[in-house]
Amino acid sequence: MQITFNEVEHRYAKGTPFERRALYDMDLTLESGQYYAIIGHTGSGKSTFIQHLNGLLQPTSGTVTVGEDVIVAGKKNKGLKSLRKKVGVVFQFPEHQLFEETVEKDICFGPMNFGVAEEDAKEKAKELVTLVGLSEDVLDRSPFELSGGQMRRVAIAGVLAMEPEVLVLDEPTAGLDPKGQHELMKMFYRLHKEKNVTIILVTHNMEDAARYADHLVILHKGTKYIEGTTEEIFSQREQLERVGLSLPITIHYQQQIEEKLGITLPRKALTLESLTKSLVPFLQGGMNDAK
């Protein structure tokens, strides 16, 4: 399901003394089945941008097209309920959105609201708690008795229960310990690969962007600054530094190694694993010369 922004602008409190432009001149196409990372500092427009993806916010000018749904500025847009089923949003600290008596009821709420039979929703809940790394025995517990990390997983399961075609992740691992962060990011990536779900990840973590994303979109002061494949964007060091962004640590390592050894690797290494793999032929060549 392709998503297109065409000359989109959004102003908060338009027509009042408190009017503020948060997004402007936004032209962007996000292709189906891809993994995108949206990067930018606070105030760059990231939160406003993602709320346009499922109609939580509507443009004050321009159009947003999500699959067959077209949201036009100044018009009453119908079908937003079905759009919100197709585009699931995991906000920062989604556990704050939990409200039901039990974990099972919380996960079942969305599907049942769209007409899924209760028994089918319960089966889906069993499947999803396992997917997000929890045991089935949490289903009968109150979500408010769980740890913060467990509550986060329950909230994510509730979004996944809607079986969205597009999954929007707004700093989904904020506040979690490193192990929890790693497990969740791997789970999202597996979902992307196995189910062909389009992922749109909002993150400050350049390492996560480098490891998981196919494409990067850099926002700056309310508009698109640059976009491209992950390798293309991370090859533009000066462009990134101009807006206060840095390269992933792996690329810094690569640059230092290339300078030290007097070599040039064939491509940017976006993970430590790929850097190690790229270095093997050079290291083997050096060992053979030593013999």
Side-chain angles (χ1 to χ4, degrees), residues 26-210:
M26 180 59 72
D27 289 301
L28 180 66
T29 296
L30 304 176
E31 299 292 347
S32 179
Q34 299 297 306
Y35 196 128
Y36 289 88
I38 310 296
I39 300 171
H41 289 299
T42 301
S44 62
K46 302 189 302 297
S47 294
T48 303
F49 170 75
I50 64 170
Q51 289 182 76
H52 281 75
L53 296 171
N54 70 348
L56 287 175
L57 288 178
Q58 297 183 34
T60 48
S61 66
T63 60
V64 178
T65 304
V66 184
E68 296 179 355
D69 295 290
V70 182
I71 302 173
V72 181
K75 291 187 178 181
K76 188 173 182 179
N77 295 287
K78 301 178 180 179
L80 293 181
K81 183 178 179 180
S82 63
L83 174 61
R84 288 166 189 161
K85 184 179 186 297
K86 298 174 189 173
V87 181
V89 182
V90 177
F91 290 104
Q92 275 194 46
F93 308 110
E95 58 270 25
H96 295 167
Q97 298 167 248
L98 299 174
F99 62 92
E100 284 283 10
E101 296 173 359
T102 67
V103 167
E104 182 180 64
K105 286 183 178 180
D106 227 309
I107 297 173
C108 291
F109 177 82
M112 290 176 63
N113 194 39
F114 277 89
V116 174
E118 183 176 355
E119 286 306 309
D120 292 336
K122 286 182 176 181
E123 283 301 311
K124 176 63 69 175
K126 286 181 183 179
E127 174 190 329
L128 288 169
V129 289
T130 303
L131 178 67
V132 298
L134 298 173
S135 59
E136 286 188 19
D137 60 13
V138 304
L139 287 168
D140 295 325
R141 296 175 62 186
S142 165
F144 307 107
E145 295 175 356
L146 305 179
S147 70
Q150 289 173 320
M151 290 173 70
R152 175 77 53 88
R153 293 168 190 267
V154 170
I156 290 168
V159 175
L160 297 181
M162 303 297 291
E163 299 183 346
E165 297 177 45
V166 178
L167 188 60
V168 183
L169 307 171
D170 186 5
E171 299 281 1
T173 61
L176 297 183
D177 60 65
K179 183 174 182 289
Q181 293 176 10
H182 181 64
E183 288 174 350
L184 273 185
M185 291 306 298
K186 281 182 65 178
M187 185 269 289
F188 290 132
Y189 190 69
R190 189 169 66 250
L191 190 68
H192 163 65
K193 286 297 185 182
E194 293 176 1
K195 305 288 188 180
N196 199 37
V197 174
T198 303
I199 301 284
I200 301 172
L201 170 69
V202 175
T203 184
H204 287 92
N205 189 317
M206 290 301 204
E207 275 60 48
D208 280 348

Side-chain angles (χ1 to χ4, degrees), residues 209-228:
R211 176 175 291 276
Y212 298 109
D214 306 306
H215 301 270
L216 303 185
V217 179
I218 309 296
L219 301 184
H220 182 62
K221 294 184 177 180
T223 194
K224 182 180 72 179
Y225 177 63
I226 49 174
E227 66 168 308

Side-chain angles (χ1 to χ4, degrees), residues 207 231-241 245-272 274-276 278-279:
E207 275 60 48
E231 189 170 340
E232 287 170 349
I233 298 301
F234 285 144
S235 297
Q236 302 180 52
R237 180 174 182 171
E238 290 183 1
Q239 287 271 69
L240 293 173
E241 289 178 343
L245 297 174
S246 59
L247 295 172
I249 192 66
T250 305
I251 295 179
H252 285 293
Y253 289 156
Q254 177 177 340
Q255 292 172 343
Q256 292 172 3
I257 290 169
E258 288 176 334
E259 290 172 9
K260 186 76 173 177
L261 300 181
I263 62 174
T264 301
L265 297 180
R267 58 186 303 173
K268 295 291 182 187
L270 300 177
T271 65
L272 286 174
S274 62
L275 177 57
T276 302
S278 295
L279 283 170

Side-chain angles (χ1 to χ4, degrees), residues 5-12 14 19-27 48 52 57-64 73 222:
F5 280 58
N6 183 26
E7 297 183 358
V8 170
E9 177 183 87
H10 186 82
R11 292 176 180 265
Y12 290 102
K14 186 176 181 182
E19 181 174 322
R20 177 174 66 86
R21 186 179 71 174
L23 210 62
Y24 71 98
D25 290 347
M26 180 59 72
D27 289 301
T48 303
H52 281 75
L57 288 178
Q58 297 183 34
T60 48
S61 66
T63 60
V64 178

